[in-house]
Amino acid sequence: MERKLFISSDIEGTCGIAHWDETMPEKSEYAAFADQMSREVAAACEGALAGGAASILVRDAHNTARNIRPGMLPDTDRVRIFRGWGRDPYGMMSGLDATFSGAMFTGYHSACGWSGNPLSHTMNTRNVYITVNGEVCSELMMNSLTAAMFGVPVLLAAGDEMLCEWFHTKVPQAVTVPVSHGVGNGSISIMPGEAVRRIREGAERAMALDGSACLFPTPKDGHYEVEIMYRQHFDARANSWYPGAKQVSDRTVRFACDSWMDALTFIHFCL
């Protein structure tokens, strides 16, 4: 069976990043970190190819979804890149389906409110938190649940240390590559070249894992309860009109369902 790999790449968990200006294309600091984002995802591709991946789909998953420098990725027909937004509920995982044998994440970051990254957030800065079945939900959790929905194991996660430590508690067999840790409104990171080396080695190692041991855990009863607390009360009121959603406080909306696809669709429209 062909070993197809999906790599979703973000920027706020890349090595060295410490300020929002470094994530925004219109800012002068952005170019250096878009380059580092590209180097890190290229390293994951190189390691995965060396480890036996037959093909790789790279998903640019930050902001405009046009950040990764395609020319910095391995120059082979075994690698493709999905740039721009698919405008579907899969979001950062758009392009994934059940034909993939594994997923990896680079540049991922702590959830909104966590102290592991000065840029901690979940999807946008308009919410205070999102929880899934009572647990604060990061983008990594959300996207790992999407991978699990398709039966795709998560083999590697690279990003800030707090996120990697959290992921290790969920999927102990997976490879994690911490490249930084938050200190207040700052970040201490390893050097960019060292991050690239560790990600490449980690990705090659991850390809040897037993995928069945790397599926992200899902509720046994298939039930999901999603809660979003917005920064502004009027956003809660507006999103409470989503079918099945309930406003449970001035700034909080709750939605319950029996499939992750339904939860993901609510998140797509209301987060």
Side-chain angles (χ1 to χ4, degrees):
M1 180 180 174
E2 183 184 79
R3 301 183 71 191
K4 290 176 63 178
L5 184 69
F6 186 93
I7 301 177
S8 178
S9 184
D10 202 358
I11 203 170
E12 289 92 355
T14 55
C15 180
I17 205 157
H19 194 276
W20 289 109
D21 284 0
E22 296 164 348
T23 74
M24 300 176 182
E26 67 273 18
K27 301 292 186 178
S28 60
E29 297 97 323
Y30 164 81
F33 291 93
D35 284 350
Q36 181 62 20
M37 177 186 182
S38 303
R39 282 191 288 266
E40 291 184 12
V41 75
C45 288
E46 290 165 4
L49 291 170
S55 64
I56 300 171
L57 178 61
V58 171
R59 179 74 180 101
D60 191 322
H62 169 68
N63 196 321
T64 62
R66 292 182 283 113
N67 311 275
I68 296 168
R69 318 306 201 195
M72 294 175 68
L73 301 184
D75 190 9
T76 168
D77 62 3
R78 295 160 67 192
V79 177
R80 297 173 299 145
I81 183 168
F82 185 165
R83 303 175 72 239
W85 292 108
R87 296 298 183 183
D88 54 58
Y90 304 116
M92 300 171 79
M93 301 298 280
S94 191
L96 182 73
D97 59 35
T99 66
F100 286 84
S101 56
M104 296 184 185
F105 300 94
T106 64
Y108 270 60
H109 52 83
S110 288
C112 186
W114 290 7
S115 63
N117 191 311
L119 308 183
S120 293
H121 68 284
T122 302
M123 300 305 289
N124 56 56
T125 57
R126 297 189 299 276
N127 64 87
V128 176
Y129 65 73
I130 172 173
T131 62
V132 174
N133 291 352
E135 181 174 1
V136 173
C137 184
S138 63
E139 291 167 17
L140 180 58
M141 179 178 177
M142 189 182 304
N143 296 336
S144 294
L145 284 167
T146 300
M149 178 177 70
F150 287 114
V152 177
V154 178
L155 306 176
L156 174 143
D160 67 63
E161 185 176 62
M162 181 173 284
L163 185 73
C164 288
E165 289 176 350
W166 169 85
F167 192 71
H168 185 70
T169 69
K170 297 293 185 179
V171 189
Q173 300 301 318
V175 174
T176 56
V177 185
V179 300
S180 65
H181 71 271
V183 182
N185 197 35
S187 178
I188 297 175
S189 73
I190 61 177
M191 292 297 100
E194 179 66 9
V196 166
R197 184 185 68 78
R198 292 185 190 184
I199 290 169
R200 189 195 185 286
E201 291 178 355
E204 184 170 359
R205 215 166 53 244
M207 290 302 296
L209 295 173
D210 176 3
S212 64
C214 296
L215 283 167
F216 192 83
T218 58
K220 290 182 180 179
D221 62 1
H223 184 75
Y224 293 92
E225 189 167 285
V226 181
E227 184 173 289
I228 302 171
M229 174 177 271
Y230 300 91
R231 294 193 183 278
Q232 300 292 346
H233 62 86
F234 46 78
D235 285 333
R237 185 176 191 277
N239 289 302
S240 70
W241 293 95
Y242 184 86
K246 295 181 179 179
Q247 186 168 359
V248 295
S249 78
D250 286 348
R251 293 190 292 154
T252 308
V253 170
R254 190 175 296 153
F255 178 76
C257 59
D258 291 318
S259 79
W260 179 244
M261 191 65 230
D262 287 343
L264 200 57
T265 304
F266 165 72
I267 291 166
H268 173 67
F269 285 102
C270 296
L271 186 59

